[in-house]
Amino acid sequence: MRILVVDDDPFAQRLFARQLERLGFSDVLTLGDAHNALTEIEQGRPRVDVVFCDLQMPEMDGVEFVRHLARMEFGGCVALVSGEARKILQAAEGLARAHQLRVVGSVTKPVNPGSLRRILDDCIRGGALSGIPETPPGQSCSPEDLRAAIAAGMLENHYQPKVNLATGSLAGVEALVRLRHPRYGLVFPDRFVGVAEAHGLIDDLTRAVLAQALEHVRTWLDSGMNIHVAVNLSMKNLESVEFPDEIVEQAKAMDIAPSAIILELTESALMDDARTSLDILARLRLKQVGLSIDDFGTGHSSLAKLHDLPFDELKIDRRFVCQATRDPDLRAIVDASLAIARDMGLRSVAEGVETREDWDYLREKGCDLAQGYFIARPMPPDHLLPWLVQWENRCPELLGA
Ligand code: C2E
Ligand code: MG
Ligand code: MG
């Protein structure tokens, strides 16, 4: 992975390079001048995969730099660095995202190795490595490719465990879809779910994910695990009133109780016809299917949706959870979300639990379930049982027993 650090302060440059080297990244270029950095990005070979950019530079500030990156349609990962107040850093990060850049986070100075590691993990996960063909940000899949991939059975579910914070026991798994692409390898959903939504393919995608999820959960139930499976829905799936019956029939055919299925909904897609989706969601709940509000706290109408729709689970977004122990503002958001869940009688799930500190904090706050890299990364279905054995060994220490 080729990393470029742009910072006018030579001391910060050296510190950065040393920390990156310790983390095992040797192909690091540090530049003090933003103009040179832009030239390097435009003309440098091999191409730059990740840029760390200081916000406060005399010649060209970070916001201006980000604007140039966007104009150049830079397809690599961008991370912002600053000694400025966190709020400024967050605003700049939001701006870079609005420019469609692939923002992998922001770090405050002095930079610590933990946050660097996290950012670079995200880059690797997102396929920023040289050698993987460059794809336009956010759209690695054409609708034609996607249609063919779904028909050819190239979608694969991976599963991420959700565990009980009080007892450590495995409560369920979330199905996370991946596309096994002949050229790009394993493609993550942010590259194709939006395409599916925009081109009328989302129902086919969801059907494929659900069918696999039911099959896998059947084998887990057979092996004596009492777990639920969560499947992500797009609001666009809620346009056909037959949807609840279809799900319940599929579950019945596999001898799976509808209550073992949880449907996770995000609020990113606007509801075109609120009545139809309300009708569908109400009927799903009547049929005992679980409903979860995903990425709670993002989007524009979380609280109103929470009131209007019959959810029974609230998932606090990972952006709040994974920084909560370090950031008092985010901690306030997590605490308030937990209070809302408790007062409304909803099961609370924290996603993005990445560290022991996150785990301890959520336990102390009485959150019900935890999901995140600290517990397990999403994995292929046949890895779940071996993971469970290891997890049960880790549990006594994590529960303070
Ligand atoms: P989501 O439903 O909020 O799923 C959680 C995402 O967070 C997953 O990303 C997961 O890999 C990631 N994650 C889990 N633990 C951690 C952690 O500790 N730290 C960090 N930084 N990330 C963590 P993934 O698999 O890339 O999925 C992204 C989104 O794509 C999902 O967000 C979901 O909204 C959507 N998606 C996934 N599968 C489907 C699907 O079958 N249908 C639809 N409509 N959307 C899907
Ligand atoms: Mg989800
Ligand atoms: Mg989520």
Side-chain angles (χ1 to χ4, degrees):
M1 192 148 75
R2 185 142 194 265
I3 303 175
L4 173 62
V5 177
V6 194
D7 196 315
D8 61 300
D9 173 8
F11 176 72
Q13 286 185 19
R14 276 198 302 277
L15 192 67
F16 238 107
R18 200 170 324 130
Q19 291 192 339
L20 288 169
E21 198 177 329
R22 284 213 189 109
L23 291 170
F25 297 94
S26 52
D27 194 359
V28 179
L29 176 66
T30 54
L31 291 173
D33 180 283
H35 294 283
N36 291 346
L38 290 172
T39 312
E40 177 63 30
I41 290 168
E42 208 149 31
Q43 295 165 10
R45 287 284 171 272
R47 70 152 211 251
V48 172
D49 298 301
V50 186
V51 178
F52 285 91
C53 164
D54 185 25
L55 276 189
Q56 194 68 268
M57 294 184 290
E59 300 276 313
M60 180 193 298
D61 65 47
V63 172
E64 216 182 327
F65 183 76
V66 158
R67 202 186 320 123
H68 286 292
L69 284 181
R71 182 187 44 79
M72 288 158 51
E73 298 185 5
F74 176 60
C77 298
V78 181
L80 300 172
V81 187
S82 177
E84 298 299 317
R86 217 169 0 93
K87 290 273 179 224
I88 299 181
L89 200 52
Q90 282 162 8
E93 195 183 320
L95 180 68
R97 280 188 216 283
H99 276 306
Q100 308 282 314
L101 289 169
R102 233 206 287 172
V103 183
V104 278
S106 51
V107 273
T108 42
K109 285 185 188 172
V111 176
N112 79 16
S115 35
L116 272 187
R117 170 89 264 169
R118 209 168 17 252
I119 285 179
L120 292 163
D121 276 352
D122 277 355
C123 297
I124 292 169
R125 197 174 141 275
L129 290 167
S130 310
I132 295 179
E134 197 161 354
T135 52
Q139 204 210 340
S140 69
C141 229
S142 70
E144 296 73 37
D145 274 0
L146 183 60
R147 195 186 310 272
I150 297 174
M154 276 154 57
L155 295 184
E156 273 177 28
N157 287 4
H158 281 201
Y159 295 91
Q160 191 176 32
K162 289 157 82 177
V163 299
N164 186 307
L165 274 150
T167 65
S169 64
L170 176 64
V173 290
E174 175 175 6
L176 294 160
V177 68
R178 277 90 179 86
L179 195 156
R180 176 76 59 186
H181 196 282
R183 263 179 65 215
Y184 306 133
L186 206 58
V187 180
F188 287 84
D190 54 333
R191 296 302 193 91
F192 60 87
V193 167
V195 180
E197 285 177 343
H199 294 86
L201 295 168
I202 193 70
D203 281 341
D204 290 340
L205 181 144
T206 305
R207 238 177 245 124
V209 173
L210 193 67
Q212 275 189 44
L214 289 174
E215 233 167 78
H216 290 133
V217 84
R218 180 69 266 161
T219 52
W220 291 321
L221 293 171
D222 287 342
S223 66
M225 295 157 84
N226 180 20
I227 60 171
H228 66 245
V229 67
V231 169
N232 290 284
L233 281 197
S234 151
M235 281 289 182
K236 288 230 186 288
N237 288 129
L238 301 181
E239 285 172 4
S240 136
V241 286
E242 284 80 43
F243 188 67
D245 304 290
E246 213 181 294
I247 290 194
V248 172
E249 265 158 39
Q250 276 193 45
K252 272 206 185 123
M254 308 283 291
D255 196 21
I256 293 167
S259 57
I261 304 171
I262 296 179
L263 300 174
E264 297 191 1
L265 279 146
T266 38
E267 319 143 45
S268 51
L270 277 171
M271 286 186 284
D272 293 333
D273 180 356
R275 270 168 318 177
T276 311
S277 28
L278 189 53
D279 172 315
I280 294 173
L281 293 173
R283 288 188 60 236
L284 283 165
R285 281 301 294 137
L286 283 171
K287 292 171 186 293
Q288 310 299 321
V289 175
L291 288 184
S292 174
I293 182 163
D294 202 354
D295 305 338
F296 181 69
T298 66
H300 34 257
S301 56
S302 349
L303 292 171
K305 291 261 165 60
L306 203 54
H307 178 261
D308 298 342
L309 301 175
F311 292 108
D312 63 344
E313 179 184 277
L314 182 154
K315 288 187 89 167
I316 309 170
D317 193 69
R318 62 178 181 277
R319 276 160 282 184
F320 305 134
V321 172
C322 73
Q323 302 280 344
T325 58
R326 272 161 289 161
D327 181 329
D329 294 354
L330 295 178
R331 199 150 58 230
I333 295 175
V334 171
D335 291 354
S337 307
L338 288 172
I340 290 174
R342 195 174 312 120
D343 292 349
M344 292 182 74
L346 307 173
R347 183 174 52 243
S348 49
V349 184
E351 57 171 42
V353 178
E354 293 187 348
T355 62
R356 176 68 192 252
E357 289 73 47
D358 299 342
W359 171 267
D360 288 339
Y361 179 72
L362 293 159
R363 261 171 69 80
E364 181 196 314
K365 289 289 167 176
C367 179
D368 296 315
L369 304 182
Q371 177 181 351
Y373 295 166
F374 179 68
I375 299 137
R377 292 194 174 243
M379 60 184 98
D382 53 337
H383 290 198
L384 190 69
L385 273 173
W387 165 80
L388 186 58
V389 174
Q390 285 181 1
W391 172 250
E392 283 170 350
N393 285 331
R394 260 177 90 194
C395 266
E397 202 260 318
L398 294 177
L399 302 175

